[in-house]
Amino acid sequence: MTLVSSPSPHGQSPLRTVQVLGGGNAGSSAHVRSLAAGLVARGVKVTVCAPAEAERTYDFSGTGAHHVHVPRSSDPVSVAALRALCADADLVHAHGLHASFRTVLALGGRRVRTPLVVTWHNRAHAEGARAHLLRVLERRVMRTATVVLGATSELVDRARATGARDARLAPVALPGRSRRPPDAEETERRRPKIRAELGATGRPLLLAVGSLERHRGYDLLLDATRAWRRLDPVPLVIVAGEGPLRAELQRRIEDEALPVALIGRRDDVSDLLAAADLALLPSRREARSVLAQEALHARVPLVAADAGGIPELVGDAAELVPPADADALADAVVRLLADPGRRGLLRERGVRQAATWPTEDETVAQVLSVYDELTQPTPLL
């Protein structure tokens, strides 16, 4: 569906929105850029409040939006700057927990008069005292927001349980992706070169993508690779991402002689997927996974933990295994590598499942309908 510009329902003045972004999450940053482009194209004035490094990476200004540097901080100076930027807005839309909490402070806490929309892309993860702090922030944000848009049903349910007045399901489109699968001939042409560069010539290539953090389940992935060493040829596991666990994971790989390579943060995931035989998602907690969407769209069979929003996202188009079960993950990979028929079935199911996900236009349409609902003048009786 393609939207066309229509006269503003707000009189002669265009709708003025402020998008608040923390800048720490690639998925939410890409969504804000996509949303800004769609809104600007439809006559909405958009100001994006985000750290300068996010602007350098995602070029919000290139969409026609106005970018203002606001640090990823809740100190009084940053909150005051955000308050000034939101003062003339018809509506404020915050993305992610930390950006939403700063916005709540900037708008005056429980006395918010400007409509505040919060998109909850995924749950923040922490342990100990910090986990308690995150729960406090969640309650404050959920109870203050006018509308909470959850990327998965699980997040919507949690928002309601945490006190949200109005929580709605709003799946976020994968930016830059249409409903047409990639060209199979082009993919096959690129595979040999990419596989050679990764050292996977003549052996299966398994791909995992994501930050090297505890909840991603990479410790379980390394446990599973021990079972794959008995295969001939031995599969190579490539992990694209950076994070605090890199040194710990690298030590295990070297000490246990595991067939795993950590290749750091990459901006060519589509090329890596074109070369992969399987995609792996061992996360203990996951919302609307970008890797899962990319894999199904690219016709790469996916093995994923049955956790969070993954079952809702992939349906029957992936091999789901119990979370935190390294043996189940290992067995599923062994079975798939030995069963080309099953891999082919998952590819076809993946294409059908990807066709059910919203496009960028549809995502913009849903968000804009919420904006209109919240900013339309109340008719006099």
Side-chain angles (χ1 to χ4, degrees):
M1 178 178 73
T2 300
L3 297 179
V4 296
S5 298
S6 58
S8 170
H10 312 279
Q12 297 301 311
S13 300
L15 180 67
R16 300 164 299 176
T17 71
V18 172
Q19 307 287 324
V20 185
L21 184 66
N25 180 277
S28 58
S29 298
H31 171 59
V32 169
R33 190 190 196 284
S34 173
L35 187 58
L39 293 173
V40 169
R42 291 156 181 82
V44 178
K45 294 186 68 174
V46 178
T47 297
V48 177
C49 299
E53 56 268 26
E55 165 67 8
R56 287 192 292 271
T57 301
Y58 294 94
D59 188 24
F60 305 114
S61 299
T63 68
H66 175 55
H67 169 258
V68 178
H69 168 65
V70 176
R72 182 187 162 91
S73 171
S74 298
D75 66 80
V77 174
S78 298
V79 171
L82 186 56
R83 180 180 300 118
L85 291 166
C86 293
D88 296 325
D90 296 308
L91 179 142
V92 179
H93 190 164
H95 300 263
L97 179 60
H98 294 286
S100 299
F101 180 68
R102 292 202 309 279
T103 305
V104 167
L105 295 178
L107 293 177
R110 296 183 183 277
R111 298 183 300 279
V112 171
R113 294 184 179 180
T114 303
L116 171 61
V117 177
V118 167
T119 290
W120 207 4
H121 295 266
N122 49 53
R123 286 186 59 191
H125 308 289
E127 298 176 357
R130 181 166 171 76
H132 174 72
L133 174 61
L134 287 177
R135 288 194 294 271
V136 171
L137 298 187
E138 280 182 8
R139 286 196 297 271
R140 179 74 178 276
V141 168
M142 297 301 123
R143 293 174 182 178
T144 304
T146 314
V147 173
V148 177
L149 302 178
T152 68
S153 296
E154 181 190 43
L155 291 174
V156 172
D157 291 343
R158 182 170 178 83
R160 290 171 178 162
T162 312
R165 293 175 286 170
D166 186 342
R168 311 178 190 182
L169 179 64
V172 173
L174 185 63
R177 292 290 180 265
S178 68
R179 283 186 169 148
R180 294 179 59 188
D183 183 83
E185 290 186 6
E186 174 63 17
T187 298
E188 285 302 315
R189 186 187 65 79
R190 287 156 43 196
R191 279 174 63 91
K193 180 176 183 295
I194 301 168
R195 291 172 70 92
E197 291 173 351
L198 295 172
T201 300
R203 61 194 298 196
L205 178 63
L206 316 181
L207 175 67
V209 179
S211 57
L212 306 183
E213 299 178 84
R214 192 70 61 188
H215 74 277
R216 296 288 185 184
Y218 290 128
D219 54 337
L220 299 169
L221 177 58
L222 296 192
D223 290 342
T225 63
R226 292 200 290 257
W228 305 332
R229 290 183 299 191
R230 61 180 168 80
L231 301 179
D232 184 19
V234 177
L236 174 63
V237 180
I238 296 293
V239 180
E242 280 294 354
L245 294 185
R246 184 183 180 94
E248 176 183 325
L249 295 174
Q250 188 62 50
R251 279 196 301 271
R252 277 200 60 187
I253 292 168
E254 294 172 0
D255 292 346
E256 301 174 35
L258 301 176
V260 181
L262 306 180
I263 61 173
R265 186 179 290 110
R266 300 286 289 252
D267 58 6
D268 60 346
V269 172
S270 61
D271 287 336
L272 298 177
L273 279 167
D277 295 292
L278 300 178
L280 307 178
L281 187 63
S283 299
R284 294 178 175 88
R285 299 181 297 272
E286 195 72 50
R288 194 171 177 84
S289 165
V290 172
L291 174 63
Q293 295 176 78
E294 291 272 16
L296 268 60
H297 180 83
R299 297 171 55 88
V300 178
L302 172 69
V303 181
D306 187 353
I310 294 302
E312 177 181 46
L313 178 65
V314 303
D316 65 354
E319 201 74 36
L320 298 180
V321 299
D325 190 333
D327 291 337
L329 174 61
D331 291 345
V333 168
V334 171
R335 288 196 307 272
L336 270 183
L337 290 177
D339 189 347
R342 176 67 177 172
R343 297 199 303 273
L345 177 62
L346 290 179
R347 291 189 188 98
E348 296 309 312
R349 287 179 176 176
V351 171
R352 292 198 298 269
Q353 184 70 11
T356 69
W357 299 332
T359 64
E360 290 182 86
D361 272 350
E362 288 165 345
T363 296
V364 174
Q366 182 180 17
V367 170
L368 193 53
S369 70
V370 174
Y371 290 1
D372 286 343
E373 175 188 334
L374 298 181
T375 57
Q376 288 275 19
T378 304
L380 297 176
L381 299 179

